[in-house]
Amino acid sequence: MKTNLQLKTLCLIVLTNILLAGEGCASEQPGSSSSPQPALKDVFKKDFLIGMAVNNNVVCGNDVNAAAIVEKHCNTLTAENVMKWGPIHPEPNRYNFEPADRFVEFGQNNKMFIIGHTLVWHHQTPKWVFEDNANKPMTRDAMLSRMKDHIFTVVGRYKGKVGGWDVVNEALDDNGELRKSKWFETIGEDFIEKAFEYAHEADPDAELYYNEYNNEKPGKLEGCVRLIRKLKAKGLRIDGVGLQAHSDMNYPSKKELEGFFAAMKPLGVKVMITELDVSVFPWVDWFAMRKIDFNDVNERKKFNPYPSGLPDEVQQKLADRYAELFSEYVKHADQIDRVTFWGVYDKTSWLNMGRSNYPLLLDKK
Ligand code: 9MR
C-alpha cells in the first residue's frame, strides 16, 4: 500500500489546483508539456489507473482540447455511449462499429487500458432486442441466443484490444433484489451468469466486471455481495466490481465508502471507481427534471442557481469534496484498480440535464 503522507498531500494539491484553476485552465494548452500541472496518471501511478469516459467528439478530433486533456491525464479509457447495445447494434442485422472502432483506436494510440461499456443493460437497449419477428416477447432460449450472438460479435471484434468489459450493468434494485428488467423477465435470474459465461468464452483474456450505482448503500450492497458470491460459486470469471460513484457534496459518506470496501475485500474481486462525478446539487432524476419550468424565476433560482459559473466558496467546497473522496480512494488503493471520471469537462457532463452543473475536474471551457 502506498498511503505515504507526501503522495497523499501531492494528490490533494493537484486535484484542488485543477478544480480551482477555473477559467485559467482554458487559456493554458491542456496537453502541452509547458503546463505546470502534473498529469493525474503520474500522480496516482502507484495507486491506480486514471481514466475518463469519452464521447465521439473527443476521439474523432472534433474536440481537440478535450482529447489533449485525456491524453495527458489518463492511462485508461471508457466509452461513454458508443458500445452500448443501442448505438452499436441498432437493428437485428446491423452493427454500427465505426464509432466504437474510433474509440478503441484512440485508446490504443495512447497506450491506454480500454474499457468496454457495456454488454447487458436494461437501458439504451432497443425494443426489438426483446421481441421476435412477430413482435412477440422472446422465449428464454431465443433471448439467450440473441445475447450470446451480441456478446460474441462485440467482444470478439475487440478481442485483445479491449482489456476489460462491464459485462452487466445495474441489474439490482435499491433493496438488493434483482431488477425486474426484460432480461430478468425473459431469461430468469441466470441471465447474469450467462452473460459472464459468454463474455469469457468470447475473449478468455479480458477482465470482466459487474458495474452498479449506489452500491455503497445498504440493501444494494448486500445484493451486490450475494451476486458476486454466486458468480464465484459457479466458477465464473469475475475480476471486479464497478462502483459508479455518481456522488454529490454529501453522498456517499465516508462510512458508506468504508462499508463498501470492507464488503468487497473478502470476495477477492478488485474495485473499479467507474463513473466518478460530484454533483454540486442534490440528486434530481430525469423524470423530475423534465417537469421543472426553467422559465419560472423561482424554479430557476432553486434548480439552476449558478447558470454562469460556480461562486468561489462553492468551488472550494467542491475541491474539498474531491479531495475527501480521493483520500478514501488512496487509503483503499490496494483494492482499487482504476478511478474513471464520467466525462472530461463540465460542458459535456450528463449531469447538466438542462441546467449548469459542475461535476468534473475541468470547467466548461
Ligand atoms: O453519460 C451517459 C449519457 O450520455 C447517456 O445519455 C445515458 C443514457 O442512459 O447514459 C449515461 O451514462 C450512464 C452509464 O452508461 C451507466 N451509469 C449511469 C450513467 C449516467 O446516466
Side-chain angles (χ1 to χ4, degrees), residues 80-113:
E80 183 174 359
N81 286 302
V82 295
M83 286 180 154
K84 292 170 180 172
W85 195 308
I88 207 169
H89 189 177
E91 290 168 37
N93 296 313
R94 184 167 73 84
Y95 281 88
N96 175 30
F97 288 125
E98 166 74 15
D101 287 355
R102 295 290 82 78
F103 158 77
V104 170
E105 210 174 87
F106 182 93
Q108 282 193 303
N109 289 343
N110 291 291
K111 301 190 171 43
M112 293 166 171
F113 187 80

Side-chain angles (χ1 to χ4, degrees), residues 83-90 119 124-126 128-129 146 150 183:
M83 286 180 154
K84 292 170 180 172
W85 195 308
I88 207 169
H89 189 177
L119 296 169
Q124 266 180 305
T125 307
W128 67 260
V129 175
R146 181 164 280 174
H150 176 85
W183 291 113

Side-chain angles (χ1 to χ4, degrees), residues 80-81 84 117 121 123-124 169-170 244 275 342 350:
E80 183 174 359
N81 286 302
K84 292 170 180 172
H117 173 85
W121 191 20
H123 203 55
Q124 266 180 305
N169 196 40
E170 305 173 2
Q244 291 188 4
E275 305 186 13
W342 203 244
W350 73 288

